[in-house]
Amino acid sequence: MSESSSTKIALIGSPNSGKSLLFNRLTGLNQKVANFPGITVDISSGKSLVDNSTEYLDFPGVYSLKAISGEEKLAVDSFYKALDKGHLNAVICVVDATRLEKGLIFALQVLETCRRHKMPMLIVANMTDVLELHKIQLDSQGLSAALKVPVLPISGKTGSGLDNIPTAIASATAPTEAYASVDDIIASDDSLNHRHAQQLANQYGPKGDLLIKAQSRLDQFFLHSWVGGISFFVIMYLLFQSIFTWAAPIMDGVESFIQVVAEVVLAWVPAGMASDFIADALFGGIGAFLVFVPQIFVLTLVVGMLEDSGYLARAAVICHKPLRVFGLTGKSFIPMLSSVACAIPGIYAARTVDSPRKRWLTYLAIPLIPCSARLPVYTLLIAAFIPAQRAIGGLIGWQGLAMFGIYVFGIICALLVTALVSRSSAELRSDLPFVLEMPPYRLPSWRPLLRNAWNRSKHFVTKAGKIIFIVTVVIWVLGYFPNQGASLGDSWLGTLGQWIEPVFAPFGLDWKYGVAILSSFLAREVFVGTLGTLFGIEDAEENFVSLTQQIQDSGLPLGSGAALLVFFAIALQCVSTLAVMAKETGSWRLPSQLFISYSIFAYIAALLTYHLVEILI
């Protein structure tokens, strides 16, 4: 069937209604699902698993058809455009059955819009598994009769009721009854719609306040002025500690596997240039990078657990007051935490920051938040200089504590920058009110979480792997010729490296580290692959040794290692981040300014760190 003859169905709903999880279920795509407003930042599409001629469009979650944030404007404008141009065949409005009144306020707006466009509409009441757990019911038939549109109870988590969606949408018709007292549905949103939604929820919705009581008890703990703050720091510390604790066995397994494969492959390859290339560039460069991928998986998984559980909204509330001191808002916390995985989704997530001024300040902070691309560099240097020992009865690992410290350092730098910039202009200190919905606490859906962590790791490897492969090949060629790797210092790369060595010599770094740093401006993780290739060429006669051991054997001073950590924590070494920021801001001015200023800032801070550590030790 041609693209033009396919049936297009829009999925629209409020944040935390389970809309994106439903989209995943219907299409089998790996759309990210999280229990926080604004996680879905683009319109996604996918073919139905049961009918290839049906295409579902997942619009970002919005609270009202009157847009406030940049993300809401994207969703609402696109929704109206699709309706006006006849691109849609039907609309599915997703509401949270456990918060029916809130969902119906928005659903009535969608219903009136569909009536005007003569668009068939279906309302799906999600989260019925929660109602069944607490033995409370929703009168979907009565609600359907009152609204004169189909209302289908489902559970996106368990899959209950999803088989009925194709039949229900096929039999759906355009709404015929108007619920607005005036011509403009938005104008009556705060009056008639609220009253009507309340009446419908009271009459047909689940009875009892068990869900509200359960949420209130947990909020009393997590939002407590003292206990909530302590629990926040404990949770954040456990997040970074898990990067080493959970990933360490997998990393050891990956490293052993790479060594075994390298020995097997090289045994079949005759000695010479081909053998040297496979050993130094492939296994020495790319292999050194792959060892750290399990940490990307663990980091994405743990952050996803926090998102899906509903805790991140509470974390945003906890962080609002301290972030306000630095010119930011509590809503900046989510883009900043999203940047822990990658700065690019963090930049997209900044659309949820209502105030354009606070959004601009959030853009300043995001590149300084430690991302997963920095993680291999951090892990390599921490493993080389920090002993893998534990303290306080094994509760605290020194390496995990060091990782937590470097992440805190990056966050502090981000906050200091935004504080300095915000205080330079009275205009930047103004703000819109901080309003954030508290989603219900939910147990994470493990399959989407594991799938997302796997896909994130795979995407990281495929995206970074292409760059690393190209860079390592170039580095290997320059380092291998003209003397076939006999002397790395006399190679073409050695000659080039000696030209740039004076730039990094003040950190106690030789030209090999200088070359690795320069190559990392394409992407930070290239540093590990480049260094692995260089050490592989230099120590070609040795058996395979981990890159960590090679750094330790090279005699790199502690001050140089600390300087490298500080440099990578601050420098903006990601072309993709710069391009996405230029797209979001509509200009290359801000990305160019940040690239230059953060590079200078990183160099000065690294230089000071090196001399400070050398003085102290």
Side-chain angles (χ1 to χ4, degrees), residues 477-488:
V477 169
L478 293 176
Y480 192 77
F481 293 101
N483 51 16
Q484 286 70 46
S487 174
L488 184 60

Side-chain angles (χ1 to χ4, degrees), residues 272-610:
M273 187 172 67
S275 176
D276 293 339
F277 174 78
I278 293 173
D280 303 336
L282 296 185
F283 290 106
I286 298 176
F289 159 74
L290 292 177
V291 171
F292 301 102
V293 174
Q295 293 188 320
I296 310 298
F297 180 89
V298 171
L299 175 65
T300 307
L301 179 65
V302 176
V303 172
M305 290 168 54
L306 297 178
E307 289 176 339
D308 211 20
S309 66
Y311 176 75
L312 285 192
R314 278 76 186 177
V317 172
I318 293 172
C319 292
H320 176 65
K321 185 175 288 186
L323 285 178
R324 192 170 56 183
V325 176
F326 299 97
L328 298 168
T329 172
K331 289 189 176 182
S332 299
F333 171 76
I334 299 305
M336 291 168 68
L337 187 63
S338 299
S339 301
V340 170
C342 179
I344 292 175
I347 293 172
Y348 284 137
R351 294 174 182 172
T352 60
V353 180
D354 301 327
S355 168
R357 301 180 182 91
K358 301 302 181 187
R359 193 181 313 132
W360 187 81
L361 288 171
T362 305
Y363 288 146
L364 301 186
I366 285 174
L368 292 169
I369 301 300
C371 63
S372 57
R374 291 178 169 105
L375 189 55
V377 181
Y378 289 165
T379 304
L380 175 66
L381 296 174
I382 289 174
F385 291 100
I386 305 298
Q389 298 176 358
R390 307 184 72 84
I392 314 180
L395 294 177
I396 296 178
W398 292 117
Q399 291 183 339
L401 188 62
M403 180 68 75
F404 178 71
I406 194 63
Y407 269 70
V408 170
F409 173 78
I411 294 171
I412 290 175
C413 288
L415 296 178
L416 291 177
V417 167
T418 57
L420 179 64
V421 174
S422 65
R423 280 163 173 74
S424 66
S425 172
E427 183 182 11
L428 289 174
R429 290 196 293 271
S430 62
D431 196 11
L432 295 175
F434 175 66
V435 180
L436 183 66
E437 178 195 11
M438 290 292 99
Y441 292 97
R442 298 192 181 103
L443 291 176
S445 301
W446 288 104
R447 286 182 60 186
L449 281 177
L450 291 171
R451 188 189 304 120
N452 181 62
W454 170 258
N455 287 325
R456 174 63 197 155
S457 302
K458 184 171 66 174
H459 174 73
F460 185 78
V461 171
T462 54
K463 177 186 174 184
K466 296 175 183 177
I467 301 175
I468 290 175
F469 178 76
I470 295 172
V471 172
T472 51
V473 169
V474 173
I475 294 295
W476 182 85
V477 169
L478 293 176
Y480 192 77
F481 293 101
N483 51 16
Q484 286 70 46
S487 174
L488 184 60
D490 295 329
S491 66
W492 294 334
L493 185 63
T495 302
L496 293 174
Q498 289 164 15
W499 291 350
I500 64 172
E501 187 173 38
V503 178
F504 300 99
F507 304 164
L509 302 174
D510 62 19
W511 66 268
K512 293 191 291 296
Y513 288 95
V515 169
I517 290 172
L518 288 184
S519 67
S520 69
F521 275 90
L522 292 173
R524 297 178 181 93
E525 57 271 28
V526 174
F527 176 86
V528 176
T530 301
L531 210 57
T533 302
L534 291 172
F535 276 115
I537 297 174
E538 188 175 52
D539 301 324
E541 72 282 355
E542 299 291 335
N543 294 326
F544 284 98
V545 180
S546 69
L547 185 55
T548 299
Q549 186 63 48
Q550 289 175 314
I551 292 176
Q552 292 174 342
D553 295 341
S554 70
L556 185 70
L558 177 60
S560 300
L564 277 172
L565 282 173
V566 170
F567 184 87
F568 275 90
I570 299 173
L572 209 174
Q573 303 155 285
C574 183
V575 176
S576 300
T577 298
L578 293 171
V580 171
M581 187 178 295
K583 180 182 176 181
E584 288 293 292
T585 60
S587 169
W588 276 94
R589 180 180 178 183
L590 179 62
S592 301
Q593 290 174 337
L594 292 184
F595 176 77
I596 295 172
S597 58
Y598 285 172
S599 297
I600 296 173
F601 180 20
Y603 188 89
I604 296 174
L607 185 61
L608 293 175
T609 301
Y610 171 75

Side-chain angles (χ1 to χ4, degrees), residues 41-59:
V41 293
D42 284 312
I43 298 170
S44 302
S45 64
K47 297 289 186 179
S48 170
L49 287 175
V50 298
D51 182 7
N52 193 50
S53 65
T54 299
E55 182 180 3
Y56 291 100
L57 305 176
D58 180 25
F59 287 78

Side-chain angles (χ1 to χ4, degrees), residues 21 115 219 226 251 261 357 386 395 578:
L21 179 58
R115 182 189 71 82
D219 280 343
W226 287 102
M251 292 175 65
V261 172
R357 301 180 182 91
I386 305 298
L395 294 177
L578 293 171

